[in-house]
Amino acid sequence: MFATYLIGLREGLEATLVVSILVAFLVKSQRRDRLPQVWAGVGLAVALSVVFGWLIEYTSTSLLARSEDRELFEAVTSVAAVVFVTWMIFWMRKAARTIAGELRGKLTEALAVGSLAVAGMAFLAVIREGLETALIFYSAAQSAAGGTGAGALLSLAGGVATAVVIGFLLYRSALKINLSKFFTWTGALLILVAAGILKYGVHDFQEAGVLPGLNNQAFDISSTLDPNAWYGALLAGMFNITAAPTVLEMIAWVAYAVPVLVLFLRKPASPARPAAPAAPPAATGDAATTPAEPAAVATPAEPTEPAAAEAPTTTATQRA
């Protein structure tokens, strides 16, 4: 359940920050008349995300009659969810410093076009998070409990609700958190969750007959890791760590989790500054007696970007 809560919290906070930036920009720009269009775009994005999640569940439970087809469908959605999670956490780490400026620029352009452009801009800013949430939630819930039950839905809703509260408090400047550290820690946890989803997808591929080795277990520690105990349920629910995995499942888990965690936690290298041009050699001989050409007027150098540093504690209002 904690895995689905984490998904709701992480994705919900990203969407909430986007909306907070848009709303704060409109309020500061004295364009409150455009707020209804922003909320209309957000509402449409949320509605379509819910429909997309329902469609995935309906396809799995009603449209696919054979168990092999259902296993294959769940395996494909699991792999797609892992791709989305990986792309999302690396994109957020890269775009966290510039997302506010980019959104303000796009919203300025949309304001010049009209109401539909403002609603469309808000819709596109939120729909990506909503579709990702629906797909990742379905795969995580299948991996953890073998089905999207009421408990998983409540956990997801709780995570989204927590994200909305945090986003509102950030907007009102009542709460300050280090967003850089928040996204780093939650990103690392989501990588482990994604590794478990990938492991579950490999198991589904094996049950569907696409991959071999369904009965070839890597180890069996059922006597130590009781799946019915609270700690066994916690490990299985969060990271899909089971007592008797297959060899291919473990290979997939380790092959994904280790390199992706290393790449994610590694500090990005600071861009190298260009070297100053060498001074021209002094003139000698006859050249020294010739009149020198007038020196070119020096133009002011472009400001260099500061070296990357730890993101300070920020608020949504400051970002706007």
Side-chain angles (χ1 to χ4, degrees):
M1 296 302 177
F2 182 76
T4 54
Y5 175 84
L6 180 65
I7 291 170
L9 177 62
R10 168 77 185 224
E11 295 285 347
L13 187 56
E14 288 184 20
T16 302
L17 288 174
V18 169
V19 175
S20 299
I21 291 169
L22 298 180
V23 172
F25 178 75
L26 289 177
V27 170
K28 286 187 174 183
S29 303
Q30 304 297 323
R31 297 303 302 270
R32 292 176 180 268
D33 58 310
R34 297 301 187 187
L35 287 177
Q37 286 79 32
V38 170
W39 293 120
V42 171
L44 181 59
V46 172
L48 287 182
S49 300
V50 172
V51 171
F52 178 68
W54 171 84
L55 183 61
I56 294 176
E57 178 68 14
Y58 180 75
T59 301
S60 176
T61 57
S62 301
L63 297 184
L64 301 177
R66 296 194 313 154
S67 61
E68 292 83 359
D69 294 335
R70 288 195 295 270
E71 297 291 346
L72 185 59
F73 177 78
E74 292 177 6
V76 172
T77 55
S78 296
V79 173
V82 171
V83 173
F84 274 117
V85 168
T86 307
W87 176 82
M88 176 261 295
I89 59 178
F90 279 97
W91 175 85
M92 193 61 192
R93 187 184 70 166
K94 180 181 178 181
R97 298 176 184 272
T98 60
I99 186 172
E102 292 177 359
L103 286 173
R104 285 195 294 263
K106 291 179 181 178
L107 187 55
T108 301
E109 297 174 0
L111 286 170
V113 175
S115 300
L116 287 179
V118 174
M121 194 266 176
F123 170 81
L124 293 176
V126 176
I127 189 63
R128 179 182 62 84
E129 306 294 343
L131 296 181
E132 284 181 5
T133 302
L135 180 60
I136 298 169
F137 162 71
Y138 172 80
S139 300
Q142 291 289 338
S143 171
T148 52
L153 284 173
L154 289 176
S155 297
L156 179 72
V160 173
T162 304
V164 171
V165 171
I166 293 176
F168 176 76
L169 292 176
L170 286 172
Y171 174 76
R172 300 295 297 180
S173 299
L175 178 67
K176 294 183 179 181
I177 61 175
N178 191 315
L179 293 177
S180 177
K181 289 185 178 180
F182 173 85
F183 284 120
T184 297
W185 284 105
T186 56
L189 285 175
L190 278 181
I191 288 173
L192 296 179
V193 171
I197 294 175
L198 179 62
K199 175 177 173 290
Y200 179 80
V202 170
H203 184 79
D204 278 340
F205 274 126
Q206 290 178 314
E207 289 191 341
V210 177
L211 292 177
L214 179 60
N215 298 318
N216 188 11
Q217 295 181 345
F219 50 81
D220 188 350
I221 55 173
S222 302
S223 57
T224 304
L225 183 62
D226 185 4
N228 298 319
W230 67 268
Y231 54 88
L234 179 64
L235 291 175
M238 282 193 64
F239 311 122
N240 197 28
I241 296 177
T242 54
T246 66
V247 174
L248 280 181
E249 287 180 54
M250 288 307 302
I251 291 176
W253 198 96
V254 174
Y256 172 84
V258 173
V260 174
L261 270 177
V262 171
L263 289 175
F264 179 73
L265 296 176
R266 185 182 62 181
K267 276 191 174 183
S270 301
R273 296 187 179 185
T284 57
D286 294 338
T289 62
T290 59
E293 294 184 0
V297 178
T299 58
E302 294 184 1
T304 57
E305 296 184 357
E310 177 92 7
T313 300
T314 59
T315 67
T317 306
Q318 290 171 333
R319 285 172 172 266

